[in-house]
Amino acid sequence: MHLSFVDYAIIAIYFCFVIGIGVLLKRKVKSSSDFLGGRGGHEAIPLWITSLSFISANLGAQEVLGMAASGAKYGIMTAHFYWVGAIPAMVFLGLFMMPFYYGSRARSVPEYLSLRFDEKTRLLNALSFAGMTVFSSGISLYALAILFKVLLGWSFGFSVLLSAGIVAAYTFTGGLRSAIYNEVLQFFLIVLGISPIVYAGLRRVGGWEGLKMQLAPVMTHTWQYMGSPSDNPMGIGLFGMMMGLGFVLSFGYWCTDFLLVQRAMAARDMSAAQRTPLIAAFPKMLMPFVVIMPGLIAVAMSNMGADFSLPLKADGRMDYDMTLPTMLSHFYPSGLLGVGLTALMASFMSGMAGNVTAFNTVWTYDIYQAHIKKDASDEHYLRMGKLATVAGIAVSIATAYLARSFNNIMDLLQLVFGFVNAPLFATFLLGMFWKRTTGHGAFTGLLAGTTAAALTHGLTVAEGKGGWLGASVHEFQSTMGQAFAIAITAWLVCFIVTILVSLFTKPRPDSEMRGLVYSLTERPAPDPSARWYRRPYALAGVVLAATIILNLAFR
Amino acid sequence: MLNRLLDDLRFPIGLLFSIFAAILLVMGVFSPEVRDGGVNLNLFAGAVMGAFALFMLGTSVLAARSAGPEK
């Protein structure tokens, strides 16, 4: 891929803007809560910004490149990750969980665990989350550097240091607000920078009808081939999809991951915090048409025998990960190519900045303030937050280099973090909706769920992965099917063990759990005079109706 | 007025996309390149980004004006 001066100029202008936003917001950072988040410190952030930031924090490189790759590999079924695996969980978060996160006055998700349960549960969650965020950030950096080495011939070190340096510049100066503002800018850049591929691609293949003619029927339907795992390229059946992706994984991710919840917690009031994921659901449900559609178009064009084909891996199979870059190179002239590449960079930076700002909050509030230095001045915690930002970025860079030398380490880390995350939603569900749940129950349940996840992986095999305990008791059609089964098992074990241990341990008195548990918390009466889009339940109804329509349209 | 505009995220977003739109429109008009798909994508994307930039800039200016004089 050859870039012209104009393309480089566009990339440079974008870099100036993201750093400029950080510099402009520096004057608003006067306290630790301005920098790290947590209500009371910073000025209110408008609802449209928190909403777009909420989905943009999830619109990292893995999403943008990965969904186009999945679109090429699995077809429109990939939209399940949005219409089944995201929207219902976002609605649940807005209606039922935000009142506790926001109403409890916790500054982070681990802090909620501390208020609801105890310090050991908080520390377990904080440590695993902090580790996960900096390593995820490093994986993003590594992927960016590899991509730009392949596409542009940039050296690994140059790509890593340039991207990390820019993210450091705007997160260090403006903190969480700067990350959120840049995520919104990056959202528009990603949408406007990638959509022209869909427009030109659909023209090329003859619209949706032309696309369907070029692809196998299983590629253009979301539900019709879900009867059995062997009927579809994902290797997933209806139960695995609904329970694994639609419930455990999606609710576990969207409802408990502080990286996302932090954006909603930055809203100006409870209503805005509740509506943040609900408003975000509208663009989220349309994202498949931006990020998945290029994958379908790429395969259709390859099938048409046009002068287009996806690159091949060394083993002769299609390299689906290169779907989006190949489409950019094929369709975009100089000028728009610069915008498209900037959009890819934006997606990497968006993911990295989100991870770094979530890491510095959890490190400062939930590890440092809670366990290392309790009664320091606010100025001290502000300095620690800034130091954590720099340290988080430094560890990310080290992780990127580590991944370059030992690629399998990344697979292992992602696997281990999957084990930790899978049972978390059971802990929150019981903690928020069953007042009898105890801290000992939650802690033991989390450990048991994580162990169950590891055992399931060790005792099953899929595409040659897993089965490290020697005896394989089941073989899955795909690694995705295996991942869903691991999540379901971990969730169930955590759920059951938490209940059993809670029944044998002493619960906290009701008076200590007001505002933390559903049955002990007064819910504000809905304002009947407010317009529908200001009422969370009405908004949720519209979101769910629109999602059902999309599922039916592409069934 | 300028302080209000700089406080409003719509303004820098509008500014960035108006620069991108101007570059793409100039490229689309003076150096037209029609690739696969049969459309001058620089011109098309430039027009869309220009409209979006105008919307963002316009709403931020209106909001700054309606907020009244700065203290």
Side-chain angles (χ1 to χ4, degrees):
Chain A
M1 190 182 285
H2 175 72
L3 294 192
S4 67
F5 170 76
V6 174
D7 298 317
Y8 282 113
I10 285 172
I11 293 172
I13 291 167
Y14 167 71
F15 285 164
C16 292
F17 264 79
V18 291
I19 294 172
I21 286 175
V23 171
L24 273 177
L25 292 172
K26 189 181 177 186
R27 62 201 159 98
K28 290 183 182 287
V29 177
K30 297 185 177 80
S31 66
S32 65
S33 52
D34 289 328
F35 188 77
L36 299 166
R39 290 176 311 289
H42 54 254
E43 291 175 33
I45 297 179
L47 176 59
W48 72 274
I49 293 180
T50 56
S51 299
L52 289 181
S53 165
F54 185 86
I55 53 165
S56 193
N58 168 256
L59 202 56
Q62 287 92 332
E63 170 105 352
V64 174
L65 290 176
M67 286 297 157
S70 294
K73 197 172 176 184
Y74 306 124
I76 197 71
M77 267 185 81
T78 310
H80 282 314
F81 283 92
Y82 294 78
W83 301 336
V84 176
I87 306 293
M90 289 163 75
V91 168
F92 188 82
L93 171 68
L95 293 185
F96 300 109
M97 292 182 76
M98 276 320 296
F100 300 111
Y101 285 138
Y102 201 92
S104 68
R105 307 209 64 79
R107 296 166 298 181
S108 67
V109 167
E111 190 170 17
Y112 171 82
L113 288 175
S114 152
L115 296 170
R116 173 62 185 88
F117 297 122
D118 50 29
E119 279 300 323
K120 66 177 180 298
T121 313
R122 174 197 208 174
L123 187 62
L124 179 66
N125 181 242
L127 286 174
S128 60
F129 181 81
M132 193 166 61
T133 48
V134 286
F135 285 121
S136 296
S137 168
I139 292 169
S140 257
L141 264 183
Y142 167 74
L144 174 134
I146 293 295
L147 182 71
F148 282 102
K149 191 174 182 183
V150 172
L151 290 182
L152 306 172
W154 291 4
S155 80
F156 184 88
F158 175 74
S159 295
V160 164
L161 293 177
L162 179 72
S163 314
I166 288 167
V167 170
Y170 72 79
T171 50
F172 185 81
T173 48
L176 176 65
R177 179 181 284 259
S178 176
I180 286 178
Y181 276 35
N182 271 306
E183 280 161 6
V184 175
L185 177 69
Q186 285 151 356
F187 169 80
F188 288 119
L189 192 57
I190 291 164
V191 171
L192 292 173
I194 294 174
S195 297
I197 288 181
V198 179
Y199 175 68
L202 281 177
R203 277 176 64 98
R204 178 69 182 82
V205 300
W208 177 248
E209 289 306 316
L211 190 75
K212 284 204 289 189
M213 284 170 63
Q214 296 297 332
L215 298 172
V218 71
M219 295 285 282
T220 54
H221 292 279
T222 51
W223 290 103
Q224 279 190 19
Y225 297 90
M226 293 293 300
S228 160
S230 58
D231 292 345
N232 60 73
M234 271 189 185
I236 307 287
L238 200 58
F239 176 76
M241 180 61 70
M242 297 303 290
M243 184 70 183
L245 176 64
F247 182 60
V248 178
L249 283 173
S250 74
F251 280 67
Y253 174 66
W254 290 97
C255 299
T256 70
D257 194 315
F258 179 56
L259 169 60
L260 301 166
V261 175
Q262 187 179 30
R263 273 72 194 145
M265 287 169 91
R268 70 165 71 93
D269 55 33
M270 174 72 89
S271 169
Q274 281 194 281
R275 285 183 291 143
T276 289
L278 299 174
I279 300 274
F282 288 104
K284 182 71 184 173
M285 72 177 73
L286 299 176
M287 283 311 286
F289 301 111
V290 179
V291 294
I292 296 175
M293 201 58 86
L296 276 84
I297 293 168
V299 176
M301 284 172 57
S302 296
N303 292 346
M304 285 167 77
D307 57 339
F308 177 87
S309 60
L310 287 173
L312 301 177
K313 288 182 176 177
D315 60 7
R317 288 182 301 164
M318 276 188 184
D319 188 354
Y320 292 113
D321 290 338
M322 290 302 288
T323 300
L324 200 60
T326 310
M327 296 285 273
L328 281 177
S329 176
H330 182 78
F331 281 111
Y332 281 8
S334 179
L336 193 54
L337 186 60
V339 178
L341 283 174
T342 308
L344 278 187
M345 283 187 181
S347 71
F348 281 101
M349 289 187 191
S350 167
M352 186 178 178
N355 277 308
V356 168
T357 49
F359 165 78
N360 64 19
T361 304
V362 167
W363 167 263
T364 307
Y365 287 152
D366 297 297
I367 299 173
Y368 184 76
Q369 187 178 24
H371 299 278
I372 299 172
K373 194 163 178 131
K374 281 192 173 147
D375 299 312
S377 66
D378 186 70
E379 199 178 313
H380 178 85
Y381 294 123
L382 174 59
R383 277 202 304 275
M384 177 46 66
K386 290 191 169 187
L387 194 64
T389 305
V390 176
I393 288 171
V395 176
S396 304
I397 293 172
T399 307
Y401 275 95
L402 196 69
R404 189 190 185 195
S405 307
F406 308 100
N407 199 15
N408 288 341
I409 287 180
M410 291 300 102
D411 289 342
L412 185 67
L413 282 173
Q414 284 181 313
L415 197 63
V416 171
F417 292 140
F419 297 164
V420 174
N421 257 6
L424 202 57
F425 182 60
T427 309
F428 278 88
L429 198 62
L430 287 168
M432 286 181 174
F433 297 97
W434 190 46
K435 66 178 185 176
R436 186 68 183 73
T437 315
T438 66
H440 294 313
F443 185 77
T444 320
L446 275 175
L447 288 180
T450 302
T451 309
L455 285 177
T456 309
H457 188 261
L459 289 170
T460 60
V461 179
E463 298 176 29
K465 293 183 177 173
W468 42 268
L469 282 171
S472 167
V473 295
H474 184 71
E475 181 162 356
F476 289 94
Q477 293 270 343
S478 63
T479 48
M480 198 182 287
Q482 186 187 37
F484 289 0
I486 289 170
I488 293 168
T489 310
W491 186 88
L492 265 178
V493 168
C494 179
F495 192 78
I496 292 166
V497 170
T498 305
I499 290 174
L500 290 177
V501 175
S502 293
L503 289 174
F504 289 100
T505 46
K506 190 181 170 192
R508 292 172 66 187
D510 287 0
S511 58
E512 291 180 11
M513 293 193 290
R514 296 199 195 288
L516 301 170
V517 179
Y518 193 78
S519 60
L520 299 173
T521 304
E522 278 185 35
R523 285 170 289 285
D527 176 8
S529 63
R531 289 173 186 264
W532 69 270
Y533 55 81
R534 291 187 182 278
R535 285 181 276 144
Y537 280 89
L539 200 56
V542 176
V543 167
L544 290 176
T547 309
I548 290 169
I549 290 169
L550 281 170
N551 272 292
L552 289 175
F554 290 89
R555 67 186 182 283
Chain B
M1 176 81 166
L2 185 62
N3 275 340
R4 279 194 201 285
L5 286 174
L6 290 176
D7 274 348
D8 187 340
L9 181 58
R10 287 172 292 190
F11 186 73
I13 289 177
L15 205 57
L16 177 68
F17 279 97
S18 60
I19 295 171
F20 283 177
I23 293 172
L24 295 184
L25 288 172
V26 168
M27 297 280 288
V29 172
F30 294 104
S31 174
E33 193 177 341
V34 178
R35 291 199 173 188
D36 205 1
V39 58
N40 183 340
L41 269 188
N42 272 341
L43 201 60
F44 167 75
V48 173
M49 283 182 199
F52 173 71
L54 279 179
F55 172 76
M56 295 306 258
L57 288 173
T59 50
S60 67
V61 169
L62 284 177
R65 278 189 181 163
S66 65
E70 287 180 58
K71 288 176 185 172

